[in-house]
Amino acid sequence: MKKIIVIGGGASGAKAASKAKRLNPNNHVELYTREDVIAYSLCGLPYFIEGSVKKIEDLIIRTPKEFIENGIPVFLHHEAQEIYPEKNCVLINGNHIFYDELILALGAHVNLLNIENTSADNIFTLRSLKSASIIKEKMNNIKKVLIIGAGYIAIELIEAFIKNDIEVILLEKNPRIASDFDEDFSSHIQKMVNYKCQDKLECHFSKTAIKFNVDDNNNFKSVVVDDGSEFFADICILATGASPNVQLAKDCGIVLGSTGAIKVDTKMRTNIPNIFACGDCAEKYCIITRQPTYIGLGTIANKEGRVAAINAVGGENFESFDGVLKSTITRFFEFTISKTGLTMQEALFYKDKINIEPICASITKNDKAGYMPDVNKMTIKLVADKRSGELLGAQGIGWSGNITQRINTITSALKSRLTIEQFLHLDLAYAPPFSSSIDPVLTAAYKLKEIMKQ
């Protein structure tokens, strides 16, 4: 029997605690979190704000009571203050808690702006059920919202507010929306956003916030940007990305990786024996580049929590987490935006490090047979290495449901390190309601094959 302590109650921590207990019911597993809730879906928060998720409680996957009923004590509002590896001990709320195995699932924190009045009322982040509930309540009495940032969360929030007849100002320091995509794809996304939002959305790029203005009651009133412009709104939401929570780990001698997250091996072990890390606090390994990377996603957190638990329990059971392709997807009204692997801009950045010669091809094509009544267009972009012929990544945009299957197909191809030639021999399913006779991803691959010959 082992005593396994899990710090953090998000996706990876909840998974790790549950798995550790299931693997060996004799293990004593305890879960500690500084929050007032565990095992909830951060990804669902924009959809609660939008209204398709009716109750905030619907985003809670499992309650503390359910964990306790399964033999896992849960300690809410408990802050881990210090780790003493030489004693196998954690200081939590002033108490020394001893462990045989320690799993750190510390999560991430929003990248707050280092400017004046950031802590003013009516400036929100979206990392908790509580913040989402307050934003939802505020929506009854506001007409305009300012969103700082232009990534996935911002795009999802634009839809949420527009659907509730609230005007949106989008402010972004980069020169374009969704800058994780290639520039040509960002242009497609911007056109789609403009098409759906019309006069309800105002976008401002290459603008850096330098000061928040507040009223006499310390309520947010406006933001001033670097060119002197001032933008007014009723509330402000910071969708400025997140960074791993690592201070607790760093203070006890756990090594951080080049990304700033906790460095782990494929078994989620840190450099200190009997201490594991998983989820948004842990560094990832990119399968394509074979380089460290960082991304915070619930899917990855769940997988890592599972692997950490299996290896912490030990015995005859061991498992590895091989890495990530950074596959992402979101919905915007009727559209789907997705990518996997490397974009062209990323491939060019890594070309000398991993010895590749990136090429790319884009196509826009019907998502199903042209005679079907609900046919729509989709755009697919593929990236490959001209030297080896291997696929490196893909981006896609189109009507909901049709991009998902294409990106997931390419994800499988990337994991198998297929070349373009091998990819073209995939026997993809076809029927007129689902695809053209030559699927759009294969059309893009044929185009890429021709480019490779040049």
Side-chain angles (χ1 to χ4, degrees):
M1 184 185 80
K2 287 185 174 182
K3 184 176 182 181
I4 299 173
I5 300 297
V6 180
I7 308 295
S12 61
K15 173 62 76 173
S18 299
K19 186 67 176 178
K21 191 66 176 179
R22 283 199 303 271
L23 284 170
N24 186 346
N26 292 322
N27 284 330
H28 184 76
V29 182
E30 294 179 356
L31 190 154
Y32 293 83
T33 177
R34 61 187 178 187
E35 298 188 70
D36 57 0
V37 66
I38 60 171
Y40 62 91
S41 172
L42 280 175
C43 301
L45 296 181
Y47 304 102
F48 167 70
I49 291 171
E50 176 255 319
S52 54
V53 175
K54 300 301 180 185
K55 298 184 297 181
I56 197 72
E57 293 79 15
D58 292 340
L59 298 178
I60 299 174
I61 312 303
R62 291 179 71 192
T63 65
K65 182 181 178 182
E66 290 174 293
F67 276 81
I68 293 168
E69 288 172 349
N70 285 296
I72 303 172
V74 173
F75 299 87
L76 305 178
H77 304 292
H78 276 65
E79 180 92 28
Q81 297 150 308
E82 197 165 352
I83 301 171
Y84 308 103
E86 69 282 357
K87 298 179 181 178
N88 277 24
C89 176
V90 189
L91 183 67
I92 303 177
N93 278 22
N95 297 310
H96 291 91
I97 310 296
F98 292 90
Y99 63 84
D100 295 308
E101 309 288 345
L102 176 65
I103 299 176
L104 300 178
L106 305 174
H109 59 268
V110 173
N111 297 327
L112 296 175
L113 302 180
N114 187 24
I115 63 175
E116 190 176 346
N117 295 325
T118 302
S119 60
D121 294 337
N122 288 337
I123 297 177
F124 302 98
T125 61
L126 199 60
R127 292 292 298 183
S128 69
L129 300 186
K130 182 178 180 180
S131 61
S133 296
I134 296 172
I135 293 168
K136 182 74 171 178
E137 185 179 346
K138 294 280 184 182
M139 287 170 62
N140 296 321
N141 300 301
I142 65 172
K143 295 182 179 179
K144 184 176 290 187
V145 60
L146 170 71
I147 300 173
I148 299 181
Y152 275 0
I153 295 297
I155 290 170
E156 291 163 2
L157 286 174
I158 291 170
E159 176 182 353
F161 289 115
I162 296 293
K163 281 186 173 179
N164 284 276
D165 200 31
I166 296 170
E167 295 181 18
V168 178
I169 300 173
L170 185 72
L171 195 67
E172 167 60 33
K173 66 179 181 180
N174 290 305
R176 51 193 172 90
I177 198 169
S179 58
D180 284 349
F181 287 78
D182 286 330
E183 186 172 354
D184 56 341
F185 240 80
S186 288
S187 178
H188 285 299
I189 295 169
Q190 186 67 60
K191 289 176 183 176
M192 173 199 68
V193 169
N194 292 343
Y195 168 71
K196 292 303 300 183
C197 297
Q198 298 179 6
D199 60 348
K200 285 285 185 181
L201 173 67
E202 187 181 316
C203 294
H204 300 273
F205 299 105
S206 300
K207 307 283 187 186
T208 300
I210 60 172
K211 179 185 177 183
F212 289 119
N213 288 324
V214 298
D215 62 18
D216 293 339
N217 296 315
N218 197 41
N219 288 310
F220 163 79
K221 185 174 67 173
S222 67
V223 64
V224 178
V225 300
D226 49 357
D227 66 0
S229 303
E230 186 174 6
F231 300 96
F232 293 82
D234 300 303
I235 66 171
C236 173
I237 300 178
L238 302 179
T240 44
S243 297
N245 282 325
V246 297
Q247 196 61 49
L248 178 70
K250 183 179 178 182
D251 287 346
C252 78
I254 291 175
V255 171
L256 306 184
S258 58
T259 65
I262 298 172
K263 187 175 183 178
V264 293
D265 64 11
T266 58
K267 292 182 171 56
M268 310 313 298
R269 296 176 298 198
T270 70
N271 62 301
I272 296 181
N274 309 113
I275 300 182
F276 299 78
C278 54
D280 289 2
C281 68
E283 189 170 73
K284 321 302 176 193
Y285 172 82
C286 177
I287 293 170
I288 302 295
T289 65
R290 301 180 177 88
Q291 302 287 318
T293 190
Y294 180 73
I295 187 170
L297 291 173
T299 52
I300 297 170
N302 269 281
K303 293 173 187 175
E304 290 183 337
R306 179 180 182 275
V307 170
I310 291 171
N311 294 311
V313 170
E316 296 180 358
N317 298 309
F318 289 98
E319 192 158 326
S320 295
F321 182 71
D322 294 336
V324 301
L325 292 167
K326 300 177 76 172
S327 305
T328 56
I329 191 167
T330 194
R331 183 199 75 185
F332 188 75
F333 289 89
E334 301 87 5
F335 294 95
T336 302
I337 311 162
S338 186
K339 68 183 181 74
T340 187
L342 302 185
T343 61
M344 187 62 174
Q345 64 190 11
E346 289 172 323
L348 289 170
F349 174 81
Y350 282 108
K351 71 172 188 173
D352 293 330
K353 290 184 178 180
I354 61 176
N355 193 29
I356 58 173
E357 186 180 344
I359 55 172
C360 61
S362 297
I363 61 100
T364 298
K365 187 178 180 180
N366 289 341
D367 57 5
K368 53 183 68 69
Y371 49 77
M372 295 302 294
D374 56 347
V375 63
N376 288 293
K377 297 291 184 183
M378 68 163 56
T379 299
I380 297 284
K381 181 175 184 177
L382 295 181
V383 181
D385 175 21
K386 188 174 183 179
R387 294 172 184 168
S388 66
E390 281 189 11
L391 277 167
L392 299 175
Q395 297 156 81
I397 185 170
W399 290 74
S400 291
N402 296 314
I403 287 297
T404 310
Q405 58 177 303
R406 271 78 183 196
I407 291 296
N408 284 339
T409 297
I410 296 164
T411 296
S412 298
L414 293 176
K415 186 67 170 66
S416 301
R417 307 198 78 89
L418 295 189
T419 64
I420 289 294
E421 193 64 44
Q422 291 168 330
F423 184 75
L424 285 168
H425 288 287
L426 292 180
D427 185 15
L428 302 182
Y430 160 72
F434 303 103
S435 173
S436 51
S437 56
I438 298 179
D439 193 272
V441 292
L442 297 182
T443 301
Y446 278 120
K447 185 174 180 180
L448 198 53
K449 182 181 178 180
E450 291 304 311
I451 293 173
M452 290 181 66
K453 294 177 182 178
Q454 298 172 6

